[in-house]
Amino acid sequence: MTTSVKAYAATAADKPLSPNTIERRDVGPHDVRIDIKFAGICHSDIHTARGEWGPISYPQVVGHEIAGIVTEIGSEITKHAVGDRVGVGCMVNSCGECAQCVKGLEQYCLVGNIQTYGSTDRDGTTTQGGYSQQVVVTEHFVVRIPEGIELDAAAPLLCAGITTYSPLRHWGAGPGRKVAVVGMGGLGHMAVKIARAMGAEVTVLSQSLKKQQDGLRLGADHYYATSDPGTFETLASTFDLIINTVSAPIDLNAHLSLLAVDGAMVNVGAPAEPLPLQIFSLIPSRRTFAGSAIGSIAETQEMLDFCAEHHLGAEIEVISADKINDAWERVLASDVRYRFVIDTATLA
């Protein structure tokens, strides 16, 4: 038994998204049905729908920044109730049995977690994402959105928020620590807000100074243009932690030179091209170059509670469903401050 819901779907890698209808499974004992209210637009949606990260099955509904209201729960549900404000992020299942899942690190499931869209679910169907009216998700992968965060501003936290919160927390951003954020976009603006709320001294490193006022307004202490060669001289050996949010090639070695002894540079942006690295950018100062995915479900809930406590949400532009293709082009042109969010009521 399934339920038909309206959605916006990619039907081919080279075609615009269009209205479509998809099927959502019936609610099982451990499932939650969510009436989606808002869905954020992430650059990952575009990469996936256009086949840039590998072949996918069409039609494909993307979207992994989902905020909504619980409308139905399974017979064994204890964590959620009808009427709850909830969110779903980048994954909707995992094996639950491997060493990482047992440790509560579902994002690093050794079998491979089941992504919110474009993955093969346990029943053999292809998962379909949040550019739709409803979604049915296993209880464990549904998180509570606290009061104090509006649902539209909360949606991007389910990807952009947790993707930046997790490395900031893991690498110890806090008082007495100097943190640099590379890129002032959908991920970068949340990294600035969160790092500042954690108590770190925050610097934005952007290609130009055109977003400087925004960066300072959102919590940055300093703002530098990486197009200015003097920036790398001025800031040499300065930072304890650099979060690189850019999904495009950058000069890794120049940025690594900005790390202090024992500093770490963590990539959360995912450029398609390989990035050349000189090993002597690391060895003399015992620097670390690392990557980080999203957080676990527990850490995602922790992030949402942290954001509610500090009154943090994403800077958003809410759009109707018929503007999704235009919004995608604007994302590619970096013409958004700082996250598009779809009002899914307009799907009707």
mmCIF file of all heavy atoms in Angstrom, residues 271-300:
data_model
loop_
_atom_site.group_PDB
_atom_site.id
_atom_site.type_symbol
_atom_site.label_atom_id
_atom_site.label_comp_id
_atom_site.label_asym_id
_atom_site.label_seq_id
_atom_site.Cartn_x
_atom_site.Cartn_y
_atom_site.Cartn_z
ATOM 1 N N PRO A 271 34.711 19.409 -4.083
ATOM 2 C CA PRO A 271 34.962 19.673 -5.501
ATOM 3 C C PRO A 271 35.133 18.378 -6.284
ATOM 4 O O PRO A 271 35.607 17.370 -5.748
ATOM 5 C CB PRO A 271 36.265 20.481 -5.491
ATOM 6 C CG PRO A 271 36.931 20.116 -4.206
ATOM 7 C CD PRO A 271 35.826 19.845 -3.227
ATOM 8 N N ALA A 272 34.718 18.391 -7.537
ATOM 9 C CA ALA A 272 34.815 17.193 -8.371
ATOM 10 C C ALA A 272 36.253 16.900 -8.774
ATOM 11 O O ALA A 272 36.621 15.747 -8.998
ATOM 12 C CB ALA A 272 33.944 17.364 -9.616
ATOM 13 N N GLU A 273 37.083 17.938 -8.845
ATOM 14 C CA GLU A 273 38.451 17.783 -9.321
ATOM 15 C C GLU A 273 39.397 17.397 -8.183
ATOM 16 O O GLU A 273 39.207 17.806 -7.042
ATOM 17 C CB GLU A 273 38.960 19.100 -9.937
ATOM 18 C CG GLU A 273 38.074 19.676 -11.035
ATOM 19 C CD GLU A 273 36.984 20.580 -10.499
ATOM 20 O OE1 GLU A 273 36.689 20.505 -9.288
ATOM 21 O OE2 GLU A 273 36.437 21.369 -11.286
ATOM 22 N N PRO A 274 40.439 16.599 -8.464
ATOM 23 C CA PRO A 274 41.466 16.329 -7.456
ATOM 24 C C PRO A 274 42.175 17.629 -7.063
ATOM 25 O O PRO A 274 42.312 18.546 -7.874
ATOM 26 C CB PRO A 274 42.436 15.388 -8.178
ATOM 27 C CG PRO A 274 41.673 14.829 -9.324
ATOM 28 C CD PRO A 274 40.697 15.890 -9.738
ATOM 29 N N LEU A 275 42.616 17.698 -5.806
ATOM 30 C CA LEU A 275 43.308 18.882 -5.311
ATOM 31 C C LEU A 275 44.766 18.523 -5.036
ATOM 32 O O LEU A 275 45.048 17.649 -4.207
ATOM 33 C CB LEU A 275 42.646 19.391 -4.021
ATOM 34 C CG LEU A 275 41.182 19.809 -4.111
ATOM 35 C CD1 LEU A 275 40.671 20.230 -2.741
ATOM 36 C CD2 LEU A 275 41.000 20.941 -5.107
ATOM 37 N N PRO A 276 45.727 19.173 -5.704
ATOM 38 C CA PRO A 276 47.139 18.858 -5.473
ATOM 39 C C PRO A 276 47.607 19.320 -4.089
ATOM 40 O O PRO A 276 47.250 20.405 -3.630
ATOM 41 C CB PRO A 276 47.861 19.623 -6.585
ATOM 42 C CG PRO A 276 46.926 20.720 -6.980
ATOM 43 C CD PRO A 276 45.546 20.191 -6.756
ATOM 44 N N LEU A 277 48.376 18.467 -3.441
ATOM 45 C CA LEU A 277 48.852 18.749 -2.091
ATOM 46 C C LEU A 277 50.346 18.448 -1.993
ATOM 47 O O LEU A 277 50.789 17.341 -2.326
ATOM 48 C CB LEU A 277 48.087 17.887 -1.083
ATOM 49 C CG LEU A 277 48.600 17.874 0.367
ATOM 50 C CD1 LEU A 277 48.456 19.258 0.985
ATOM 51 C CD2 LEU A 277 47.858 16.840 1.187
ATOM 52 N N GLN A 278 51.122 19.434 -1.549
ATOM 53 C CA GLN A 278 52.529 19.233 -1.262
ATOM 54 C C GLN A 278 52.668 18.766 0.186
ATOM 55 O O GLN A 278 52.204 19.440 1.109
ATOM 56 C CB GLN A 278 53.309 20.540 -1.464
ATOM 57 C CG GLN A 278 53.306 21.051 -2.894
ATOM 58 C CD GLN A 278 54.094 20.150 -3.839
ATOM 59 O OE1 GLN A 278 54.997 19.443 -3.410
ATOM 60 N NE2 GLN A 278 53.750 20.188 -5.121
ATOM 61 N N ILE A 279 53.309 17.623 0.392
ATOM 62 C CA ILE A 279 53.367 17.062 1.732
ATOM 63 C C ILE A 279 54.111 17.976 2.704
ATOM 64 O O ILE A 279 53.832 17.985 3.919
ATOM 65 C CB ILE A 279 53.999 15.655 1.704
ATOM 66 C CG1 ILE A 279 53.666 14.899 2.995
ATOM 67 C CG2 ILE A 279 55.503 15.727 1.488
ATOM 68 C CD1 ILE A 279 52.215 14.600 3.182
ATOM 69 N N PHE A 280 55.019 18.809 2.181
ATOM 70 C CA PHE A 280 55.738 19.714 3.085
ATOM 71 C C PHE A 280 54.889 20.923 3.501
ATOM 72 O O PHE A 280 55.344 21.772 4.272
ATOM 73 C CB PHE A 280 57.072 20.135 2.471
ATOM 74 C CG PHE A 280 58.107 19.060 2.573
ATOM 75 C CD1 PHE A 280 58.386 18.236 1.492
ATOM 76 C CD2 PHE A 280 58.767 18.829 3.778
ATOM 77 C CE1 PHE A 280 59.316 17.222 1.601
ATOM 78 C CE2 PHE A 280 59.700 17.811 3.892
ATOM 79 C CZ PHE A 280 59.981 17.001 2.793
ATOM 80 N N SER A 281 53.645 20.989 3.027
ATOM 81 C CA SER A 281 52.696 21.941 3.601
ATOM 82 C C SER A 281 52.215 21.453 4.963
ATOM 83 O O SER A 281 51.649 22.227 5.741
ATOM 84 C CB SER A 281 51.496 22.115 2.672
ATOM 85 O OG SER A 281 51.881 22.691 1.444
ATOM 86 N N LEU A 282 52.436 20.167 5.241
ATOM 87 C CA LEU A 282 51.953 19.569 6.487
ATOM 88 C C LEU A 282 53.073 19.281 7.483
ATOM 89 O O LEU A 282 52.958 19.584 8.671
ATOM 90 C CB LEU A 282 51.222 18.248 6.181
ATOM 91 C CG LEU A 282 50.017 18.313 5.257
ATOM 92 C CD1 LEU A 282 49.513 16.903 4.965
ATOM 93 C CD2 LEU A 282 48.905 19.150 5.864
ATOM 94 N N ILE A 283 54.171 18.672 6.991
ATOM 95 C CA ILE A 283 55.168 18.101 7.889
ATOM 96 C C ILE A 283 55.828 19.117 8.834
ATOM 97 O O ILE A 283 55.907 18.874 10.054
ATOM 98 C CB ILE A 283 56.243 17.344 7.074
ATOM 99 C CG1 ILE A 283 55.623 16.061 6.492
ATOM 100 C CG2 ILE A 283 57.457 17.014 7.924
ATOM 101 C CD1 ILE A 283 56.556 15.302 5.550
ATOM 102 N N PRO A 284 56.295 20.275 8.369
ATOM 103 C CA PRO A 284 57.077 21.148 9.274
ATOM 104 C C PRO A 284 56.319 21.653 10.489
ATOM 105 O O PRO A 284 56.927 21.948 11.515
ATOM 106 C CB PRO A 284 57.488 22.303 8.352
ATOM 107 C CG PRO A 284 57.476 21.714 6.977
ATOM 108 C CD PRO A 284 56.309 20.777 6.986
ATOM 109 N N SER A 285 54.975 21.783 10.401
ATOM 110 C CA SER A 285 54.225 22.298 11.550
ATOM 111 C C SER A 285 53.226 21.275 12.101
ATOM 112 O O SER A 285 52.297 21.640 12.820
ATOM 113 C CB SER A 285 53.476 23.580 11.169
ATOM 114 O OG SER A 285 54.375 24.630 10.889
ATOM 115 N N ARG A 286 53.447 19.995 11.741
ATOM 116 C CA ARG A 286 52.590 18.920 12.230
ATOM 117 C C ARG A 286 51.107 19.247 11.979
ATOM 118 O O ARG A 286 50.245 19.074 12.833
ATOM 119 C CB ARG A 286 52.846 18.658 13.713
ATOM 120 C CG ARG A 286 52.376 17.276 14.174
ATOM 121 C CD ARG A 286 52.974 16.879 15.506
ATOM 122 N NE ARG A 286 52.636 17.815 16.572
ATOM 123 C CZ ARG A 286 53.165 17.767 17.806
ATOM 124 N NH1 ARG A 286 54.058 16.846 18.099
ATOM 125 N NH2 ARG A 286 52.805 18.644 18.720
ATOM 126 N N ARG A 287 50.845 19.734 10.773
ATOM 127 C CA ARG A 287 49.483 20.109 10.410
ATOM 128 C C ARG A 287 48.687 18.882 9.938
ATOM 129 O O ARG A 287 49.261 17.889 9.498
ATOM 130 C CB ARG A 287 49.506 21.155 9.296
ATOM 131 C CG ARG A 287 50.114 22.479 9.732
ATOM 132 C CD ARG A 287 50.428 23.365 8.551
ATOM 133 N NE ARG A 287 50.896 24.689 8.963
ATOM 134 C CZ ARG A 287 51.786 25.406 8.295
ATOM 135 N NH1 ARG A 287 52.334 24.920 7.184
ATOM 136 N NH2 ARG A 287 52.154 26.597 8.725
ATOM 137 N N THR A 288 47.380 19.016 9.992
ATOM 138 C CA THR A 288 46.477 17.952 9.558
ATOM 139 C C THR A 288 45.586 18.457 8.438
ATOM 140 O O THR A 288 45.050 19.573 8.519
ATOM 141 C CB THR A 288 45.585 17.494 10.734
ATOM 142 O OG1 THR A 288 46.412 16.966 11.771
ATOM 143 C CG2 THR A 288 44.595 16.431 10.287
ATOM 144 N N PHE A 289 45.439 17.631 7.399
ATOM 145 C CA PHE A 289 44.453 17.911 6.340
ATOM 146 C C PHE A 289 43.423 16.799 6.397
ATOM 147 O O PHE A 289 43.770 15.613 6.305
ATOM 148 C CB PHE A 289 45.128 17.957 4.972
ATOM 149 C CG PHE A 289 44.173 18.212 3.835
ATOM 150 C CD1 PHE A 289 43.370 19.338 3.824
ATOM 151 C CD2 PHE A 289 44.067 17.318 2.769
ATOM 152 C CE1 PHE A 289 42.485 19.583 2.782
ATOM 153 C CE2 PHE A 289 43.189 17.548 1.731
ATOM 154 C CZ PHE A 289 42.400 18.688 1.732
ATOM 155 N N ALA A 290 42.163 17.155 6.579
ATOM 156 C CA ALA A 290 41.128 16.160 6.858
ATOM 157 C C ALA A 290 39.849 16.467 6.097
ATOM 158 O O ALA A 290 39.698 17.528 5.484
ATOM 159 C CB ALA A 290 40.842 16.122 8.360
ATOM 160 N N GLY A 291 38.931 15.523 6.170
ATOM 161 C CA GLY A 291 37.597 15.706 5.618
ATOM 162 C C GLY A 291 36.566 15.337 6.664
ATOM 163 O O GLY A 291 36.867 14.636 7.635
ATOM 164 N N SER A 292 35.363 15.818 6.487
ATOM 165 C CA SER A 292 34.287 15.524 7.434
ATOM 166 C C SER A 292 32.973 15.456 6.678
ATOM 167 O O SER A 292 32.703 16.286 5.798
ATOM 168 C CB SER A 292 34.222 16.599 8.518
ATOM 169 O OG SER A 292 33.154 16.367 9.421
ATOM 170 N N ALA A 293 32.163 14.464 7.027
ATOM 171 C CA ALA A 293 30.824 14.347 6.434
ATOM 172 C C ALA A 293 29.825 15.035 7.362
ATOM 173 O O ALA A 293 30.189 15.868 8.197
ATOM 174 C CB ALA A 293 30.475 12.872 6.229
ATOM 175 N N ILE A 294 28.568 14.665 7.227
ATOM 176 C CA ILE A 294 27.552 15.172 8.139
ATOM 177 C C ILE A 294 27.778 14.580 9.528
ATOM 178 O O ILE A 294 28.699 13.798 9.738
ATOM 179 C CB ILE A 294 26.142 14.810 7.623
ATOM 180 C CG1 ILE A 294 26.034 13.286 7.421
ATOM 181 C CG2 ILE A 294 25.837 15.567 6.356
ATOM 182 C CD1 ILE A 294 24.670 12.781 7.093
ATOM 183 N N GLY A 295 26.951 14.924 10.484
ATOM 184 C CA GLY A 295 27.042 14.340 11.806
ATOM 185 C C GLY A 295 26.113 13.150 11.957
ATOM 186 O O GLY A 295 25.321 12.823 11.071
ATOM 187 N N SER A 296 26.218 12.501 13.095
ATOM 188 C CA SER A 296 25.308 11.404 13.419
ATOM 189 C C SER A 296 23.916 11.962 13.731
ATOM 190 O O SER A 296 23.728 13.185 13.819
ATOM 191 C CB SER A 296 25.827 10.647 14.638
ATOM 192 O OG SER A 296 25.774 11.489 15.789
ATOM 193 N N ILE A 297 22.973 11.066 13.922
ATOM 194 C CA ILE A 297 21.629 11.512 14.298
ATOM 195 C C ILE A 297 21.659 12.186 15.667
ATOM 196 O O ILE A 297 21.057 13.244 15.867
ATOM 197 C CB ILE A 297 20.640 10.328 14.296
ATOM 198 C CG1 ILE A 297 20.500 9.763 12.871
ATOM 199 C CG2 ILE A 297 19.281 10.771 14.823
ATOM 200 C CD1 ILE A 297 20.023 10.765 11.836
ATOM 201 N N ALA A 298 22.389 11.596 16.612
ATOM 202 C CA ALA A 298 22.483 12.213 17.941
ATOM 203 C C ALA A 298 23.129 13.585 17.869
ATOM 204 O O ALA A 298 22.693 14.537 18.530
ATOM 205 C CB ALA A 298 23.263 11.298 18.885
ATOM 206 N N GLU A 299 24.191 13.707 17.050
ATOM 207 C CA GLU A 299 24.868 14.990 16.933
ATOM 208 C C GLU A 299 23.994 16.000 16.195
ATOM 209 O O GLU A 299 24.041 17.204 16.479
ATOM 210 C CB GLU A 299 26.206 14.817 16.218
ATOM 211 C CG GLU A 299 27.087 16.054 16.281
ATOM 212 C CD GLU A 299 28.469 15.818 15.718
ATOM 213 O OE1 GLU A 299 28.585 15.246 14.615
ATOM 214 O OE2 GLU A 299 29.450 16.215 16.378
ATOM 215 N N THR A 300 23.193 15.540 15.248
ATOM 216 C CA THR A 300 22.268 16.442 14.553
ATOM 217 C C THR A 300 21.256 17.023 15.526
ATOM 218 O O THR A 300 20.938 18.215 15.487
ATOM 219 C CB THR A 300 21.557 15.703 13.405
ATOM 220 O OG1 THR A 300 22.535 15.189 12.496
ATOM 221 C CG2 THR A 300 20.617 16.637 12.654
#
